[in-house]
Amino acid sequence: MSDLLRSTLSARISKLPPLPQSEEDEDHESEEAASTIGSLPGSGMGQPAMPRRHPKPFHPPNPEYAPVSASSYFQQALQVSISTRGLDFRVYYTPPTFADGTVMICHHGAGYSGLTFACFAKEITDMTKGECGVLAIDARRHGKTTPTCDRSDEDLSIEVLVEDFTEVIRTVFPDPAGAPSILLVGHSMGGSVVTRSCPVLLERKYRVSGVAVLDIVEGSAIDALPFMNNLLNARPDGFNTIEEAIQWHVTTKAIRNAYSARISIPSIMISDPTALPPYQWRTPLRSTAPFWLSWFKGLSSNFLQARTARVLVLAGADRLDNELMIGQMQGKFQLVVVPGVGHMLQEDDPKRLAEIMVEFWRRNDRVVVGVKKVGDP
């Protein structure tokens, strides 16, 4: 997040028209900006999209960036059809091996998919020896979630995303009394979804043992909104091969873990032989502009009001907004800063994040009745 703000503020300095650029210059610019492009979407403000660049020459696929199957990271890949939502949701699931286990239910950020949590999920199940399972969902217009009828799936407003998320949970675990305890984990945009979903699930009598928000702070996000289109201008329109897409994310440090990128990136691209280039973004971020501000507005208050344990995990020393600073001083949530990672911290260092989450889960999941959890008011 702090890198994002530095990048966006520096975009205001240059007022002169750019000199003609070579292909090497464009590649260099992409590398400078892309580590934050994968971060928070903006609000539709800022410079409009740049004209399309000429397509780059085709290069043979690099086997070092060949896709890797997620079958070793989740036990199940399910399609959960929910007629009231008009969607067939893709859900990746490794259930707990114990009857009284816990399930971490994960919501990804904008433009990504449930497979962004693949390596993290494997670490969680290994560390807990199966006592804790992981379920990750592809949101509407993301990954392999598809419409089941003529209803449009274009609406990505926060209210719709929350309804989708809670309905998937209710469909997978229809009986709250018999359902495992759940721990909600949300990255970036997903952090807003899980914090708003928490009171809905508690009202339906689900046992929510905690809420974890990954690398998103309302104040910093809103400050960055006016400049996000400048960053998106450096993002390629598409790629010639899926290997090229994976390589771009790694070399630009949008994702710093090449192996994780080989698992997650194929699910955020679609193949269109009629397009140029033929591999296009599954969810073009600029197309979600009408919803950007709504994703983050009110995030801090919703997080602090969640009636469960709370943890905020940041990539680097981000500045908290005033509401979070006061909440932290009052001991309302746990704050963890992970050094050496970018915005996609669940991919960059899945083991470290798993250690944080397992410790958080063990501290808060089995609390004696009457004893406050960490983060309780």
Side-chain angles (χ1 to χ4, degrees), residues 249-269:
H249 282 84
V250 174
T251 57
T252 60
K253 296 185 179 180
I255 297 175
R256 304 184 185 191
N257 181 340
Y259 196 82
S260 181
R262 293 169 66 188
I263 300 170
S264 67
I265 295 306
S267 65
I268 71 171
M269 308 302 300

Side-chain angles (χ1 to χ4, degrees), residues 106-125:
C106 305
H107 197 296
H108 58 80
Y112 290 91
S113 79
L115 289 183
T116 191
F117 294 101
C119 292
F120 166 77
K122 184 69 162 55
E123 295 286 354
I124 290 291
T125 54

